Amino acid sequence: MSEVSEGTGGANAAVVESAIPKEELARLTDDIISALKTVYDPEIPADIYELGLIYKIDIEDNREVKIDMTLTAPGCPVAGEMPGWVENAVSTVEGISGVEVAMVFDPPWTPERMSEEAQVAVGWY
């Protein structure tokens, strides 16, 4: 299994050993992140990855992807839809066997989790 834990926009990433070859794992990770960057929070003009809404990406040895994500607020109007958007986007990555998205609220999201790119997009930088 490989695990990428997300800090602010990908900072603080940690990778655990995997049965998947390093080159393939790097490609899968890049492709998954690219797919995540196609999903936007409808209330904020930035993608969910740069917003820091993705807490963890696990790539299992069987190539199943498990994602822990959060929302900017628990009462977000798209709370019921966004995990499906994430699953659909990541499902397009070649070489994965499936996607499971879990919604977590601990720790709660804060604006400090946003990357500089997202801060610029929302006019906070």
Side-chain angles (χ1 to χ4, degrees), residues 54-121:
I54 303 300
Y55 283 0
K56 184 168 64 171
I57 303 166
D58 285 340
I59 304 171
E60 304 286 329
D61 289 343
N62 67 358
R63 291 171 175 72
E64 182 174 349
V65 178
K66 295 184 179 183
I67 298 172
D68 286 353
M69 68 170 294
T70 196
L71 301 169
T72 55
C76 178
V78 294
E81 298 172 49
M82 195 171 292
W85 299 346
V86 171
E87 184 178 330
N88 289 340
V90 175
S91 292
T92 66
V93 173
E94 185 179 331
I96 64 167
S97 63
V99 182
E100 181 181 311
V101 180
M103 190 66 68
V104 297
F105 295 100
D106 186 30
W109 180 86
T110 62
E112 291 79 30
R113 294 190 62 85
M114 294 191 313
S115 69
E116 285 184 25
E117 180 181 317
Q119 291 175 20
V120 168

Side-chain angles (χ1 to χ4, degrees), residues 1 9-10 14-15 20 22 31-32 34 41 53 57 65 70 74 103 106 123-124:
M1 170 179 71
V15 177
I20 302 170
K22 281 185 180 183
D31 290 353
I32 290 165
S34 292
D41 184 306
L53 298 181
I57 303 166
V65 178
T70 196
M103 190 66 68
D106 186 30
W124 294 357

